[in-house]
């Protein structure tokens, strides 16, 4: 099998996906990379010594020798870059979230429809073993019909990952109830079998907004900007982004278009880092304890009782064949994208679902900043929805 020639646009935090896609002799190879930051290009040159490096995205997008493109740039740039890539006739991988507004997401989907170029969105959590396990349990009826879903997201490294660079600015993310929650909203939609229709949210900048230790504008991040063991408690953080105008805690209520009620909670100053899902049906409930390989999903579905730690079923989260990148999700995500580039067809990730996750997060953020006023999430144009439901076939 001839290696697909991959062009990479952006080599920041998600440059790890480019490394996953680089499989010389095994199906794909990174042959060109663009990033305006010389430091990023220098790092990329070490990872892909045979690849052409440039500061101009356009040079990679228009390169006739590129078979597919990875858009790994900051969120607010996705629509412009992805649309240019789609118009160039290339299959395109866009990292999640699809973009930072509903209109910009719809522009990407419309461009994919008009050009016929293949569009794939990197919602890797659909490939996480814990999510696949919960999805399988729901599908086989372990808890009956899903009626409500509750999610708590403890972001132990929030101060490192989201308040020291462009993530901290509304202009680049809209907010973390879109940027970070797009993962969980997408999983929630997948488990519940519907999309958010009505949202209402509250939140605040409770911890990092009071921290005066900011970098000067234009000053690069410190070398120790992220450590697994340091920077605790949160007020010890230093060299935060000069601008911080997003929330570090948020609470979201949703009603889906199939009647399911859902709740999502996100906090960026917890001591632990994991996601807790509770899915309740009309014949039981399930809940995960830990979200990586070796963690457990418990199911209570045999009888009523008072509190009991021992459930009716215990399912261990299985290990992934390749444990790199989000518990093995990133390699599986890239496997699916590369197959999609070669063969087309339906995928477990969905551009429509990616758009709906952004739409729910965007409207929820508008609700949060408007005193918790309920907001309606508008559905996608039916013509576009039908196109993507057919596997991007006319």
């Amino acid at each position: 099998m001839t290696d697909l020639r991959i062009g990479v646009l952006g080599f920041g935090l998600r440059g790890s996906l480019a490394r996953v896609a680089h499989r010389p002799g095994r199906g794909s190879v990174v042959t060109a990379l663009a990033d305006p930051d010389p430091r990023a290009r220098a790092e990329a040159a070490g990872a892909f010594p045979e690849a052409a490096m440039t500061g101009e995205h356009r040079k990679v997008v228009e390169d006739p020798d590129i078979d597919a493109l990875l858009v790994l740039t900051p969120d607010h740039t996705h629509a412009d870059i992805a649309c240019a890539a789609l118009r160039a006739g290339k299959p395109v991988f866009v990292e999640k979230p699809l973009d930072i507004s509903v209109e910009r997401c719809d522009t990407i989907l419309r461009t994919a429809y008009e050009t016929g170029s293949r569009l794939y969105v990197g919602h890797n959590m659909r490939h996480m073993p814990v999510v696949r396990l919960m999805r399988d349990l729901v599908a086989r009826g372990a808890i009956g019909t899903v009626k409500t879903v509750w999610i708590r997201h403890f972001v132990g490294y929030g101060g490192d990952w989201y308040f020291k660079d462009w993530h901290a600015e509304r202009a680049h993310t809209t907010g973390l109830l879109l940027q970070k929650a797009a993962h969980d909203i997408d999983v929630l939609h997948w488990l519940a079998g519907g999309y958010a229709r009505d949202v209402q949210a509250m939140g605040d900048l409770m911890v990092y907004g009071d921290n005066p230790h900011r970098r000067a504008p234009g000053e690069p991040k410190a070398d120790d900007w992220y450590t697994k063991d340091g920077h605790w408690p949160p007020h010890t953080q230093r060299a935060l982004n000069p601008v911080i105008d997003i929330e570090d805690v948020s609470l979201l209520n949703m009603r889906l278009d199939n009647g399911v009620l859902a709740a999502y909670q996100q906090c960026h100053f917890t001591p632990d880092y994991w996601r807790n899902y509770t899915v309740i049906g009309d014949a039981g409930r399930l809940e995960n304890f830990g979200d990586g390989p070796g963690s457990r999903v418990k199911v209570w579905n045999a009888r009523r009782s008072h509190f009991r730690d021992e459930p009716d079923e215990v399912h261990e989260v299985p290990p992934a064949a390749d444990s790199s990148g989000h518990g093995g999700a990133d390699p599986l995500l890239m496997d699916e994208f590369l197959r999609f580039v070669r063969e087309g067809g339906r995928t477990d990730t969905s551009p429509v679902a990616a758009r709906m996750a952004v739409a729910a997060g965007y409207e929820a953020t508008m609700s949060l900043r408007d005193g918790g006023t309920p907001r309606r999430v508008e559905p996608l144009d039916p013509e576009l929805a039908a196109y993507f439901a057919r596997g991007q076939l006319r």
Side-chain angles (χ1 to χ4, degrees):
M1 180 173 60
T2 303
D3 286 342
L4 291 170
R5 297 163 298 182
I6 305 297
V8 178
L9 308 175
F11 197 68
L13 283 178
R14 290 302 274 151
S16 57
L17 278 172
R19 297 176 187 270
V20 172
H22 189 57
R23 309 170 178 184
R26 296 182 292 119
S28 60
V29 57
V30 172
T31 59
L33 184 145
D35 195 294
D37 184 349
R39 294 173 304 169
R41 293 199 302 274
E43 182 181 352
F48 318 112
E50 303 300 319
M53 297 289 154
T54 179
E56 300 275 346
H57 290 132
R58 179 178 52 81
K59 291 183 179 180
V60 178
V61 168
E62 297 176 357
D63 186 341
D65 293 327
I66 295 296
D67 298 313
L69 291 161
L70 305 184
V71 178
L72 309 179
T73 55
D75 301 349
H76 68 292
T77 68
H78 287 179
D80 294 341
I81 293 174
C83 287
L86 291 164
R87 293 189 190 104
K90 305 283 202 309
V92 178
F93 176 112
V94 183
E95 173 59 352
K96 58 70 51 187
L98 186 55
D99 204 281
I100 67 169
S101 75
V102 183
E103 292 76 15
R104 290 177 67 81
C105 289
D106 287 354
T107 296
I108 296 173
L109 297 188
R110 175 64 63 181
T111 302
Y113 173 76
E114 291 173 348
T115 62
S117 300
R118 292 172 179 169
L119 172 65
Y120 186 93
V121 186
H123 272 282
N124 56 357
M125 283 191 65
R126 290 197 178 207
H127 291 281
M128 284 182 66
V130 65
V131 173
R132 306 287 285 202
L133 175 57
M134 291 188 295
R135 169 77 172 174
D136 290 346
L137 289 168
V138 168
R140 73 168 175 81
I143 59 172
T145 301
V146 174
K147 295 298 182 182
T148 187
V149 182
W150 308 336
I151 300 175
R152 298 182 300 166
H153 191 182
F154 310 101
V155 191
Y157 301 114
D160 299 75
W161 290 341
Y162 301 105
F163 292 87
K164 292 184 177 176
D165 63 9
W166 57 267
H167 291 86
E169 301 185 36
R170 296 182 184 188
H172 298 152
T173 63
T174 293
L176 294 174
L177 195 48
L178 187 162
Q179 204 286 332
K180 186 63 170 168
H183 265 315
D184 291 298
I185 294 172
D186 180 59
V187 171
L188 188 155
H189 287 163
W190 205 36
L191 294 176
Y195 293 128
R197 187 190 68 192
D198 299 293
V199 297
Q200 181 274 328
M202 298 182 72
D204 206 346
L205 179 57
M206 304 185 79
V207 171
Y208 300 110
D210 293 333
N211 190 324
H213 299 286
R214 312 289 180 90
R215 299 193 319 278
E219 181 184 353
K221 288 192 293 187
D223 291 339
D224 67 342
W225 68 272
Y226 161 69
T227 66
K228 283 192 173 182
D229 300 321
H231 304 161
W232 182 261
H235 68 259
T236 65
Q237 289 281 6
R238 297 293 183 269
L240 297 177
N241 199 61
V243 176
I244 297 177
D245 59 3
I246 57 170
E247 297 76 18
D248 54 20
V249 63
S250 53
L251 315 172
L252 167 61
N253 293 316
M254 290 171 272
R255 184 186 299 274
L256 276 54
D257 54 14
N258 59 0
V260 170
L261 291 174
Y264 172 77
Q265 303 171 11
Q266 179 189 99
C267 181
H268 285 265
F269 44 87
T270 61
D272 47 347
Y273 182 53
W274 66 297
R275 293 170 165 93
N276 173 250
Y277 294 87
T278 297
V279 185
I280 305 174
D282 57 8
R285 78 174 180 94
L286 64 80
E287 184 174 356
N288 68 299
F289 293 84
D291 54 12
S295 300
R296 297 184 297 168
V297 174
K298 296 183 178 182
V299 179
W300 291 264
N301 61 3
R303 60 187 174 88
R304 294 185 298 180
S305 69
H306 294 289
F307 169 79
R308 52 188 171 103
D309 185 56
E310 290 304 315
D312 300 298
E313 301 177 17
V314 178
H315 302 269
E316 184 168 314
V317 176
D322 181 344
S323 61
S324 63
H326 293 87
D330 284 356
L332 295 172
L333 182 79
M334 194 54 60
D335 288 346
E336 185 173 68
F337 172 66
L338 296 173
R339 189 271 300 165
F340 179 64
V341 170
R342 292 182 182 278
E343 304 172 9
R346 290 182 173 84
T347 57
D348 283 336
T349 66
S350 161
V352 174
R355 182 267 190 192
M356 294 305 297
V358 169
Y362 180 87
E363 296 298 344
T365 304
M366 298 304 104
S367 168
L368 181 158
R369 293 174 185 162
D370 190 33
T373 302
R375 304 274 295 200
R376 174 60 58 94
V377 179
E378 293 300 325
L380 179 64
D381 179 336
E383 182 181 36
L384 292 180
Y387 172 72
F388 288 101
R390 292 191 299 268
Q392 304 185 39
L393 296 174
R394 296 192 180 279

